[in-house]
Amino acid sequence: MTATLQRDRHRDRAARANKSGFSFARVGAMVLRHWYLLRSSWPRLLEIVYWPAVNLLTWGLVQTYVQQHSGFFANAAGLIIGAMLLSDVLIRGQQGFSFAFLEELWSRNIGNLMMSPLRPSELLASLMVVSLIRLAIGMIPVSLVAIALFDFNIWGLGGVLALFFLNLILTGWSVGIVIAGVLLRQGMAAESFAWTVIFAVVPITCVYYPVATLPSFLQPVAWSLPPTYVFEGMRAALIGHQFRSDLMLDAFLINLVLMGIATVGFYWLLNSARRQGSLLSTGE
Amino acid sequence: MSAEAAITVEALTKIYGQTRAVDGVSFTVPLGATVGLLGGNGAGKTTTIGMIMGLIQPDGGKISVLGAAMPAARSRVLHRMNFESPYVDMPHRLTVRQNLTVFGRLYGVDGVADRIRQLAEDFALTDLLDRPAGRLSAGQKTRVALAKALINDPDVLLLDEPTASLDPDTADWVRSRLETYRHTFGVGILLASHNMPEVERLCDNVIMLKQGRIVDTGSPADLVSRYGRSDMEEVFLDVARGRGEAAHLAGWENG
């Protein structure tokens, strides 16, 4: 009788969660799963901080040298470090999302998840939260090091920084969502996309130089990518000390379109994986 | 469609290229019964289970689980189903307790800590709860996978080779647990297995698959009798080696 009552309680609770459609409790369960993983592995934690730290030291020293020899850079302190930190939000945001998804493939856990009540939308939402946690672990210490070593305080951008961050992370997630779909469809053969795809985007988004620097045929491509607006906006803030709300709005609108396309693409690839039976064999 | 059916499958078909992996398969798993899905490698067992679970999209036919059409209405019943399969694993770095906690929460289990404690006692996992899943032996992993499969007290259980890597003593013990669970809660179990003594012990009914088609069905005792054999092992070999029809007819005539 006790066992039956316990079972009824499980059912009631699960039925309530299903009635509500999207379940934050299931998203929380997945975030907990990745939190357990991060806690259990110091090499993973170290890796999250390692690359942003190496980038900061490299570009910070380049900036110090250039500032000493260029009046332009002397008047625009932090231009290179700021660009580096913001580009890392884009890169690490996408990679944090993709790596968290890859963890499920590496551990052959994706079948368990796809068979559980977890919905694809909840899986994607949990990956977004995990990417934010990984970004916080990697970027907050590095931003503090930038203050200590290079006298550059990115937090000084205030509310503008939040808009920059929002637009960059949305683009990173869109790329991550498409890569997750490709991984479901193609399996681990597509694993390297998680590392490489974003680096093809970065040069066109004009992280360290104005859009005008690009060849004219590439400039429309650059303006179709939200990070371009963010980096132009950052230069406007650091050089001209002005906030370009028009750039942030354009970036946000393009991000909404990209997120929509990425989500549709993910579901299409997921359905294709179901048709091909590749969810049960996501190995090489 | 019967209200009592745990699983109803009608004319289920899956085609990969030129291969009909599952070809017009129909069967029912009633609540309170264990149905065995038997066949050699490539017979279509895992594909059939994959389609019932919603991991594989059928090319034809219908699947209903607890009255819900799959995969369209899967969100209505997934919290009442669970499975165990050698094709999936659990995160290796997480401890057994952490893994079961995550799955308990995913399935909306009330009182996850108590449920884990209870499952740990049932499956002799208490001493393993704080060990990373990757450091378990194959037999221990199977027990953890079964604990995960029962964490939500499912009404429908899909088991793919549940005792494949267990020693005879542990395998026997697991079978007892499954029997008890089925009788206590009246669940429907679909069991894919190559272990014929296990099939004879656990299954009320057996579906014999070959090249994606059902070649015979019946209770283990009925099949053994009809094929004129002494056990299911011999029946399986008859079917797998194409002697099924001749043996079946011989058994029929002798009977």
Side-chain angles (χ1 to χ4, degrees), chain B:
Chain B
M1 239 161 246
S2 163
E4 283 77 39
I7 302 169
T8 305
V9 167
E10 292 175 28
L12 193 62
T13 301
K14 183 66 195 176
I15 303 167
Y16 291 121
Q18 301 297 313
T19 307
R20 297 180 81 85
V22 175
D23 191 1
V25 167
S26 301
F27 62 85
T28 298
V29 180
L31 281 169
T34 299
V35 172
L37 202 54
L38 307 190
N41 295 327
K45 302 185 300 294
T46 299
T47 303
T48 301
I49 289 179
M51 286 191 280
I52 295 168
M53 293 192 307
L55 294 180
I56 299 173
Q57 178 77 37
D59 290 315
K62 290 179 185 171
I63 302 168
S64 168
V65 177
L66 297 166
M70 301 288 274
R74 63 200 300 267
S75 62
R76 268 176 52 200
V77 289
L78 279 176
H79 64 281
R80 295 175 65 188
M81 301 171 70
N82 214 318
F83 82 113
E84 189 271 335
S85 166
Y87 293 95
V88 296
D89 209 341
M90 282 194 243
H92 282 195
R93 291 201 68 87
L94 270 60
T95 66
V96 173
R97 188 193 306 278
Q98 289 170 340
N99 269 306
L100 293 177
T101 300
V102 170
F103 282 105
R105 291 182 177 210
L106 284 178
Y107 279 90
V109 171
D110 207 15
V112 178
D114 288 341
R115 180 68 183 139
I116 291 171
R117 199 163 23 249
Q118 185 186 345
L119 285 166
E121 284 171 18
D122 288 350
F123 286 90
L125 295 170
T126 305
D127 293 339
L128 304 175
L129 280 177
D130 294 312
R131 188 181 296 184
R135 292 195 195 153
L136 302 176
S137 69
Q140 290 167 337
K141 276 186 186 173
T142 304
R143 277 152 51 200
V144 173
L146 284 167
K148 172 255 157 192
L150 297 183
I151 193 143
N152 58 326
D153 289 314
D155 294 308
V156 178
L157 196 51
L158 301 153
L159 300 172
D160 196 352
E161 299 284 343
T163 59
S165 53
L166 301 180
D167 64 71
D169 179 46
T170 312
D172 178 71
W173 182 79
V174 165
R175 286 172 201 133
S176 299
R177 291 291 180 284
L178 291 173
E179 280 180 315
T180 304
Y181 182 72
R182 176 174 67 121
H183 289 305
T184 306
F185 295 115
V187 304
I189 299 177
L190 181 62
L191 169 77
S193 178
H194 288 141
N195 187 311
M196 295 306 124
E198 175 172 280
V199 169
E200 287 183 62
R201 174 172 166 184
L202 293 180
C203 296
D204 304 286
N205 199 27
V206 165
I207 296 155
M208 307 284 290
L209 283 177
K210 188 177 181 185
Q211 293 175 337
R213 290 185 174 187
I214 295 179
V215 290
D216 216 336
T217 64
S219 70
D222 176 42
L223 286 168
V224 168
S225 165
R226 280 200 279 121
Y227 279 72
R229 296 296 183 180
S230 58
D231 56 32
M232 279 299 295
E233 187 92 27
E234 292 179 354
V235 173
F236 182 91
L237 290 175
D238 278 346
V239 172
R241 293 174 184 175
R243 302 193 301 251
E245 198 171 344
H248 184 129
L249 288 173
W252 187 265
E253 284 165 7
N254 292 337

Side-chain angles (χ1 to χ4, degrees), chain A residues 22-43:
Chain A
F22 188 93
S23 164
F24 287 100
R26 289 193 290 264
V27 173
M30 287 305 297
V31 173
L32 182 66
R33 173 255 188 277
H34 287 280
W35 179 245
Y36 284 148
L37 180 70
L38 287 172
R39 256 184 16 185
S40 72
S41 173
W42 66 262

Side-chain angles (χ1 to χ4, degrees), chain A residues 26 34 41 76-77 100 102 118 156 160 179 196 214 226 236 251 272 276-277:
Chain A
R26 289 193 290 264
H34 287 280
S41 173
L102 274 171
L118 182 75
V160 181
I179 290 172
T196 54
L214 288 178
S272 175
Q276 292 299 316

